[in-house]
Amino acid sequence: MSEWNPPRFNASCFVNPRLSPAETSLAAAAPGVVDEEGFARAVAEITRWPDYRPTPLVPLPGLAKTLGIGRLYYKDESGRFGLGAFKALGGAYAVLRHLQNVLGDEVTAADLVAGKYRARTSGITVTAATDGNHGKAVAWGARLFGCRAVIYLHQDVSEGRAQAIAAYGAEIRRIADNYDASVRACATDAAENGWQVISDTSWDGYQDVPRHVMHGYGVMLKEMLDQIPRGEELTHVFIQAGVGGLPAAVAGYLWLELDALRPKIVVVEPEKAACHYASAEAGHPVTVTGKLDTLMAGLACGEVSPLAWRLLDAAGFAFLKIPDDAAIFAMKTLAAGQSDDPPIVGGEAGVGGLAGLIAAAGDAEIKDSLLLTGQSRVLVIGSEGATDPVLYRQWVGRKPEDVLAA
């Protein structure tokens, strides 16, 4: 890819005035959200699953130079368990924890995979509402561990993503409304039928499962800390948000592991579904209404998860909202490679953090407010690959397999 200067997008930034001081403990700032024991249990469990392997942490020195920062690392989750996204770490792990709650903690994942309890698990139904990746993870986990899954999709989830979920044996139910309406329909039907909701968002009386989901995400963060060069200290993480489980897990894990040396967390959202941005401005959870019609479908959420918000309100250094064209630009930039950077396939929601970084680098005022300099060392998490290859080709102009073959 030829050299370019960071473009100017119509992005907005809000620096959090309620950010907890560096010396504050996570337990004091946001008690009961995530904890060391929960992360450790998830890591010990998931790393024993069939076909587990760490995903790569890819340095992008060419892009870092262009953006005017010191280092840039891209955690590429496109190969996670063959699902194309990081969500298996959360959704499938929460399915396992539910089955263990029903059958007993002595039941292992290996027992379930081997079908030892199939006579009992086959009568258990888990359900979830999804923009795509979380539902696929729940469906995959249900098939892996031997129970039934019913997945709710809102009207804007592509048919390609619906088919990918159905391929794991899940029953698909469409809701003619947005994501938040599908969450409510899922919860209502679950209550009527005795199903277990496996959601990455929380509500009054429902927090254990979203907590399991966030703890599962800790696997990729442990991998990242193991992979980053010795002595390298991150200064920033730009991380995309839907309901908030991913950025809260990132912020919580790094807070617990790095304490006062933790990096600045910049939460990135589509401008048409920026519920965290609106909540940060208001100082309390705010619901964003309307169609939420962003092409970053995996981030099209109008309500924050209250559990995740409790942590992000204390841990989010800043909140950034970006237009859809920033995501397309980030996808194309990754696919082409900058200077000698390797080409990478990143999906439209998965590149949200990188798109936010590019938008910030192209706006001097935002760049200064985020304290980005030539010495900054930044992590972005590529949370999905081309989970809908048809849409990927439409926006990037190339097939994902051609990008990877370059």
Side-chain angles (χ1 to χ4, degrees), residues 167-193:
Y168 290 103
E171 177 187 339
I172 303 297
R173 297 192 179 185
R174 282 277 189 180
I175 301 299
D177 205 332
N178 63 21
Y179 169 78
D180 300 306
S182 70
V183 171
R184 290 188 288 270
C186 174
T188 298
D189 289 356
E192 291 177 355
N193 292 287

PDB file of all heavy atoms in Angstrom, residues 167-193:
ATOM      1  N   ALA A 167     -25.690 -23.490  11.095  1.00  0.00           N
ATOM      2  CA  ALA A 167     -24.812 -24.615  10.755  1.00  0.00           C
ATOM      3  C   ALA A 167     -24.358 -25.381  11.994  1.00  0.00           C
ATOM      4  O   ALA A 167     -23.951 -26.544  11.891  1.00  0.00           O
ATOM      5  CB  ALA A 167     -23.593 -24.103   9.978  1.00  0.00           C
ATOM      6  N   TYR A 168     -24.429 -24.755  13.158  1.00  0.00           N
ATOM      7  CA  TYR A 168     -24.057 -25.439  14.407  1.00  0.00           C
ATOM      8  C   TYR A 168     -25.268 -26.071  15.093  1.00  0.00           C
ATOM      9  O   TYR A 168     -25.186 -26.475  16.252  1.00  0.00           O
ATOM     10  CB  TYR A 168     -23.353 -24.469  15.355  1.00  0.00           C
ATOM     11  CG  TYR A 168     -21.981 -24.101  14.858  1.00  0.00           C
ATOM     12  CD1 TYR A 168     -21.744 -22.873  14.253  1.00  0.00           C
ATOM     13  CD2 TYR A 168     -20.911 -25.002  14.958  1.00  0.00           C
ATOM     14  CE1 TYR A 168     -20.485 -22.548  13.770  1.00  0.00           C
ATOM     15  CE2 TYR A 168     -19.654 -24.675  14.476  1.00  0.00           C
ATOM     16  CZ  TYR A 168     -19.451 -23.445  13.882  1.00  0.00           C
ATOM     17  OH  TYR A 168     -18.207 -23.128  13.399  1.00  0.00           O
ATOM     18  N   GLY A 169     -26.379 -26.150  14.379  1.00  0.00           N
ATOM     19  CA  GLY A 169     -27.539 -26.874  14.878  1.00  0.00           C
ATOM     20  C   GLY A 169     -28.518 -26.057  15.687  1.00  0.00           C
ATOM     21  O   GLY A 169     -29.463 -26.603  16.260  1.00  0.00           O
ATOM     22  N   ALA A 170     -28.328 -24.754  15.734  1.00  0.00           N
ATOM     23  CA  ALA A 170     -29.218 -23.907  16.523  1.00  0.00           C
ATOM     24  C   ALA A 170     -30.508 -23.614  15.769  1.00  0.00           C
ATOM     25  O   ALA A 170     -30.520 -23.518  14.543  1.00  0.00           O
ATOM     26  CB  ALA A 170     -28.526 -22.588  16.870  1.00  0.00           C
ATOM     27  N   GLU A 171     -31.584 -23.445  16.532  1.00  0.00           N
ATOM     28  CA  GLU A 171     -32.830 -22.948  15.960  1.00  0.00           C
ATOM     29  C   GLU A 171     -32.732 -21.422  15.888  1.00  0.00           C
ATOM     30  O   GLU A 171     -32.364 -20.772  16.861  1.00  0.00           O
ATOM     31  CB  GLU A 171     -34.016 -23.346  16.830  1.00  0.00           C
ATOM     32  CG  GLU A 171     -35.344 -22.791  16.338  1.00  0.00           C
ATOM     33  CD  GLU A 171     -36.495 -23.044  17.286  1.00  0.00           C
ATOM     34  OE1 GLU A 171     -36.393 -23.973  18.116  1.00  0.00           O
ATOM     35  OE2 GLU A 171     -37.492 -22.299  17.213  1.00  0.00           O
ATOM     36  N   ILE A 172     -33.095 -20.848  14.736  1.00  0.00           N
ATOM     37  CA  ILE A 172     -33.008 -19.403  14.528  1.00  0.00           C
ATOM     38  C   ILE A 172     -34.396 -18.787  14.609  1.00  0.00           C
ATOM     39  O   ILE A 172     -35.347 -19.279  13.985  1.00  0.00           O
ATOM     40  CB  ILE A 172     -32.385 -19.078  13.154  1.00  0.00           C
ATOM     41  CG1 ILE A 172     -31.014 -19.728  13.016  1.00  0.00           C
ATOM     42  CG2 ILE A 172     -32.296 -17.560  12.955  1.00  0.00           C
ATOM     43  CD1 ILE A 172     -29.989 -19.248  14.002  1.00  0.00           C
ATOM     44  N   ARG A 173     -34.515 -17.692  15.371  1.00  0.00           N
ATOM     45  CA  ARG A 173     -35.773 -16.941  15.428  1.00  0.00           C
ATOM     46  C   ARG A 173     -35.470 -15.479  15.107  1.00  0.00           C
ATOM     47  O   ARG A 173     -34.643 -14.847  15.764  1.00  0.00           O
ATOM     48  CB  ARG A 173     -36.417 -17.068  16.811  1.00  0.00           C
ATOM     49  CG  ARG A 173     -36.809 -18.507  17.140  1.00  0.00           C
ATOM     50  CD  ARG A 173     -37.691 -18.610  18.360  1.00  0.00           C
ATOM     51  NE  ARG A 173     -38.068 -19.997  18.628  1.00  0.00           N
ATOM     52  CZ  ARG A 173     -38.903 -20.392  19.575  1.00  0.00           C
ATOM     53  NH1 ARG A 173     -39.480 -19.460  20.359  1.00  0.00           N
ATOM     54  NH2 ARG A 173     -39.181 -21.664  19.757  1.00  0.00           N
ATOM     55  N   ARG A 174     -36.154 -14.949  14.108  1.00  0.00           N
ATOM     56  CA  ARG A 174     -35.960 -13.567  13.658  1.00  0.00           C
ATOM     57  C   ARG A 174     -36.919 -12.619  14.368  1.00  0.00           C
ATOM     58  O   ARG A 174     -38.103 -12.930  14.551  1.00  0.00           O
ATOM     59  CB  ARG A 174     -36.197 -13.457  12.154  1.00  0.00           C
ATOM     60  CG  ARG A 174     -35.051 -13.951  11.290  1.00  0.00           C
ATOM     61  CD  ARG A 174     -34.004 -12.872  11.124  1.00  0.00           C
ATOM     62  NE  ARG A 174     -33.000 -13.259  10.129  1.00  0.00           N
ATOM     63  CZ  ARG A 174     -31.965 -12.503   9.794  1.00  0.00           C
ATOM     64  NH1 ARG A 174     -31.806 -11.322  10.368  1.00  0.00           N
ATOM     65  NH2 ARG A 174     -31.106 -12.918   8.892  1.00  0.00           N
ATOM     66  N   ILE A 175     -36.414 -11.443  14.735  1.00  0.00           N
ATOM     67  CA  ILE A 175     -37.213 -10.393  15.356  1.00  0.00           C
ATOM     68  C   ILE A 175     -37.211  -9.177  14.429  1.00  0.00           C
ATOM     69  O   ILE A 175     -36.146  -8.706  14.025  1.00  0.00           O
ATOM     70  CB  ILE A 175     -36.642 -10.000  16.732  1.00  0.00           C
ATOM     71  CG1 ILE A 175     -36.602 -11.209  17.661  1.00  0.00           C
ATOM     72  CG2 ILE A 175     -37.447  -8.866  17.350  1.00  0.00           C
ATOM     73  CD1 ILE A 175     -37.945 -11.824  17.947  1.00  0.00           C
ATOM     74  N   ALA A 176     -38.406  -8.701  14.089  1.00  0.00           N
ATOM     75  CA  ALA A 176     -38.516  -7.577  13.138  1.00  0.00           C
ATOM     76  C   ALA A 176     -38.311  -6.243  13.854  1.00  0.00           C
ATOM     77  O   ALA A 176     -39.190  -5.370  13.871  1.00  0.00           O
ATOM     78  CB  ALA A 176     -39.874  -7.620  12.446  1.00  0.00           C
ATOM     79  N   ASP A 177     -37.139  -6.091  14.470  1.00  0.00           N
ATOM     80  CA  ASP A 177     -36.812  -4.871  15.202  1.00  0.00           C
ATOM     81  C   ASP A 177     -35.310  -4.878  15.441  1.00  0.00           C
ATOM     82  O   ASP A 177     -34.586  -5.679  14.838  1.00  0.00           O
ATOM     83  CB  ASP A 177     -37.602  -4.829  16.521  1.00  0.00           C
ATOM     84  CG  ASP A 177     -37.812  -3.399  17.047  1.00  0.00           C
ATOM     85  OD1 ASP A 177     -36.970  -2.542  16.741  1.00  0.00           O
ATOM     86  OD2 ASP A 177     -38.800  -3.170  17.755  1.00  0.00           O
ATOM     87  N   ASN A 178     -34.823  -4.019  16.352  1.00  0.00           N
ATOM     88  CA  ASN A 178     -33.376  -3.898  16.550  1.00  0.00           C
ATOM     89  C   ASN A 178     -32.859  -4.894  17.598  1.00  0.00           C
ATOM     90  O   ASN A 178     -33.603  -5.713  18.133  1.00  0.00           O
ATOM     91  CB  ASN A 178     -33.007  -2.462  16.927  1.00  0.00           C
ATOM     92  CG  ASN A 178     -33.611  -2.005  18.255  1.00  0.00           C
ATOM     93  OD1 ASN A 178     -33.987  -2.812  19.090  1.00  0.00           O
ATOM     94  ND2 ASN A 178     -33.688  -0.701  18.430  1.00  0.00           N
ATOM     95  N   TYR A 179     -31.552  -4.784  17.882  1.00  0.00           N
ATOM     96  CA  TYR A 179     -30.895  -5.729  18.788  1.00  0.00           C
ATOM     97  C   TYR A 179     -31.543  -5.747  20.166  1.00  0.00           C
ATOM     98  O   TYR A 179     -31.801  -6.814  20.737  1.00  0.00           O
ATOM     99  CB  TYR A 179     -29.409  -5.385  18.912  1.00  0.00           C
ATOM    100  CG  TYR A 179     -28.708  -6.146  20.019  1.00  0.00           C
ATOM    101  CD1 TYR A 179     -28.328  -7.470  19.845  1.00  0.00           C
ATOM    102  CD2 TYR A 179     -28.457  -5.537  21.248  1.00  0.00           C
ATOM    103  CE1 TYR A 179     -27.709  -8.174  20.859  1.00  0.00           C
ATOM    104  CE2 TYR A 179     -27.847  -6.231  22.274  1.00  0.00           C
ATOM    105  CZ  TYR A 179     -27.464  -7.553  22.076  1.00  0.00           C
ATOM    106  OH  TYR A 179     -26.862  -8.244  23.092  1.00  0.00           O
ATOM    107  N   ASP A 180     -31.817  -4.577  20.724  1.00  0.00           N
ATOM    108  CA  ASP A 180     -32.350  -4.518  22.074  1.00  0.00           C
ATOM    109  C   ASP A 180     -33.725  -5.183  22.163  1.00  0.00           C
ATOM    110  O   ASP A 180     -34.059  -5.803  23.175  1.00  0.00           O
ATOM    111  CB  ASP A 180     -32.408  -3.064  22.549  1.00  0.00           C
ATOM    112  CG  ASP A 180     -31.018  -2.437  22.561  1.00  0.00           C
ATOM    113  OD1 ASP A 180     -30.123  -3.026  23.184  1.00  0.00           O
ATOM    114  OD2 ASP A 180     -30.820  -1.395  21.912  1.00  0.00           O
ATOM    115  N   ALA A 181     -34.510  -5.096  21.089  1.00  0.00           N
ATOM    116  CA  ALA A 181     -35.801  -5.790  21.057  1.00  0.00           C
ATOM    117  C   ALA A 181     -35.604  -7.304  21.022  1.00  0.00           C
ATOM    118  O   ALA A 181     -36.376  -8.056  21.630  1.00  0.00           O
ATOM    119  CB  ALA A 181     -36.617  -5.337  19.844  1.00  0.00           C
ATOM    120  N   SER A 182     -34.574  -7.764  20.323  1.00  0.00           N
ATOM    121  CA  SER A 182     -34.308  -9.211  20.280  1.00  0.00           C
ATOM    122  C   SER A 182     -33.875  -9.727  21.645  1.00  0.00           C
ATOM    123  O   SER A 182     -34.203 -10.859  22.023  1.00  0.00           O
ATOM    124  CB  SER A 182     -33.261  -9.532  19.211  1.00  0.00           C
ATOM    125  OG  SER A 182     -31.971  -9.083  19.568  1.00  0.00           O
ATOM    126  N   VAL A 183     -33.155  -8.901  22.423  1.00  0.00           N
ATOM    127  CA  VAL A 183     -32.779  -9.282  23.780  1.00  0.00           C
ATOM    128  C   VAL A 183     -34.026  -9.483  24.642  1.00  0.00           C
ATOM    129  O   VAL A 183     -34.146 -10.468  25.385  1.00  0.00           O
ATOM    130  CB  VAL A 183     -31.861  -8.219  24.413  1.00  0.00           C
ATOM    131  CG1 VAL A 183     -31.652  -8.488  25.899  1.00  0.00           C
ATOM    132  CG2 VAL A 183     -30.512  -8.179  23.700  1.00  0.00           C
ATOM    133  N   ARG A 184     -34.970  -8.557  24.518  1.00  0.00           N
ATOM    134  CA  ARG A 184     -36.198  -8.666  25.317  1.00  0.00           C
ATOM    135  C   ARG A 184     -37.033  -9.875  24.902  1.00  0.00           C
ATOM    136  O   ARG A 184     -37.584 -10.577  25.759  1.00  0.00           O
ATOM    137  CB  ARG A 184     -37.006  -7.367  25.180  1.00  0.00           C
ATOM    138  CG  ARG A 184     -36.348  -6.172  25.874  1.00  0.00           C
ATOM    139  CD  ARG A 184     -37.258  -4.960  25.886  1.00  0.00           C
ATOM    140  NE  ARG A 184     -37.391  -4.359  24.563  1.00  0.00           N
ATOM    141  CZ  ARG A 184     -36.588  -3.412  24.101  1.00  0.00           C
ATOM    142  NH1 ARG A 184     -35.589  -2.962  24.835  1.00  0.00           N
ATOM    143  NH2 ARG A 184     -36.781  -2.896  22.898  1.00  0.00           N
ATOM    144  N   ALA A 185     -37.138 -10.139  23.610  1.00  0.00           N
ATOM    145  CA  ALA A 185     -37.903 -11.296  23.135  1.00  0.00           C
ATOM    146  C   ALA A 185     -37.269 -12.594  23.615  1.00  0.00           C
ATOM    147  O   ALA A 185     -37.974 -13.530  24.037  1.00  0.00           O
ATOM    148  CB  ALA A 185     -37.984 -11.278  21.606  1.00  0.00           C
ATOM    149  N   CYS A 186     -35.952 -12.655  23.575  1.00  0.00           N
ATOM    150  CA  CYS A 186     -35.228 -13.838  24.037  1.00  0.00           C
ATOM    151  C   CYS A 186     -35.502 -14.088  25.516  1.00  0.00           C
ATOM    152  O   CYS A 186     -35.808 -15.216  25.928  1.00  0.00           O
ATOM    153  CB  CYS A 186     -33.737 -13.641  23.780  1.00  0.00           C
ATOM    154  SG  CYS A 186     -32.666 -14.925  24.439  1.00  0.00           S
ATOM    155  N   ALA A 187     -35.422 -13.034  26.329  1.00  0.00           N
ATOM    156  CA  ALA A 187     -35.636 -13.183  27.768  1.00  0.00           C
ATOM    157  C   ALA A 187     -37.071 -13.620  28.079  1.00  0.00           C
ATOM    158  O   ALA A 187     -37.301 -14.466  28.960  1.00  0.00           O
ATOM    159  CB  ALA A 187     -35.318 -11.870  28.478  1.00  0.00           C
ATOM    160  N   THR A 188     -38.030 -13.064  27.349  1.00  0.00           N
ATOM    161  CA  THR A 188     -39.436 -13.412  27.578  1.00  0.00           C
ATOM    162  C   THR A 188     -39.704 -14.876  27.263  1.00  0.00           C
ATOM    163  O   THR A 188     -40.312 -15.607  28.051  1.00  0.00           O
ATOM    164  CB  THR A 188     -40.358 -12.523  26.716  1.00  0.00           C
ATOM    165  OG1 THR A 188     -40.184 -11.162  27.115  1.00  0.00           O
ATOM    166  CG2 THR A 188     -41.811 -12.923  26.877  1.00  0.00           C
ATOM    167  N   ASP A 189     -39.242 -15.321  26.103  1.00  0.00           N
ATOM    168  CA  ASP A 189     -39.468 -16.712  25.698  1.00  0.00           C
ATOM    169  C   ASP A 189     -38.728 -17.682  26.615  1.00  0.00           C
ATOM    170  O   ASP A 189     -39.228 -18.774  26.912  1.00  0.00           O
ATOM    171  CB  ASP A 189     -39.026 -16.924  24.248  1.00  0.00           C
ATOM    172  CG  ASP A 189     -39.958 -16.254  23.253  1.00  0.00           C
ATOM    173  OD1 ASP A 189     -40.985 -15.692  23.687  1.00  0.00           O
ATOM    174  OD2 ASP A 189     -39.641 -16.270  22.039  1.00  0.00           O
ATOM    175  N   ALA A 190     -37.530 -17.298  27.060  1.00  0.00           N
ATOM    176  CA  ALA A 190     -36.767 -18.160  27.967  1.00  0.00           C
ATOM    177  C   ALA A 190     -37.521 -18.369  29.271  1.00  0.00           C
ATOM    178  O   ALA A 190     -37.593 -19.492  29.796  1.00  0.00           O
ATOM    179  CB  ALA A 190     -35.389 -17.565  28.227  1.00  0.00           C
ATOM    180  N   ALA A 191     -38.106 -17.291  29.800  1.00  0.00           N
ATOM    181  CA  ALA A 191     -38.857 -17.394  31.051  1.00  0.00           C
ATOM    182  C   ALA A 191     -40.078 -18.297  30.890  1.00  0.00           C
ATOM    183  O   ALA A 191     -40.423 -19.074  31.796  1.00  0.00           O
ATOM    184  CB  ALA A 191     -39.279 -16.004  31.515  1.00  0.00           C
ATOM    185  N   GLU A 192     -40.723 -18.223  29.729  1.00  0.00           N
ATOM    186  CA  GLU A 192     -41.929 -19.028  29.496  1.00  0.00           C
ATOM    187  C   GLU A 192     -41.609 -20.509  29.289  1.00  0.00           C
ATOM    188  O   GLU A 192     -42.409 -21.378  29.636  1.00  0.00           O
ATOM    189  CB  GLU A 192     -42.673 -18.495  28.272  1.00  0.00           C
ATOM    190  CG  GLU A 192     -43.310 -17.127  28.490  1.00  0.00           C
ATOM    191  CD  GLU A 192     -43.984 -16.599  27.240  1.00  0.00           C
ATOM    192  OE1 GLU A 192     -43.873 -17.272  26.178  1.00  0.00           O
ATOM    193  OE2 GLU A 192     -44.624 -15.526  27.318  1.00  0.00           O
ATOM    194  N   ASN A 193     -40.419 -20.785  28.739  1.00  0.00           N
ATOM    195  CA  ASN A 193     -40.084 -22.160  28.363  1.00  0.00           C
ATOM    196  C   ASN A 193     -39.084 -22.845  29.288  1.00  0.00           C
ATOM    197  O   ASN A 193     -38.764 -24.022  29.087  1.00  0.00           O
ATOM    198  CB  ASN A 193     -39.523 -22.174  26.937  1.00  0.00           C
ATOM    199  CG  ASN A 193     -40.561 -21.831  25.892  1.00  0.00           C
ATOM    200  OD1 ASN A 193     -41.441 -22.640  25.594  1.00  0.00           O
ATOM    201  ND2 ASN A 193     -40.476 -20.632  25.334  1.00  0.00           N
TER     202      ASN A 193
END
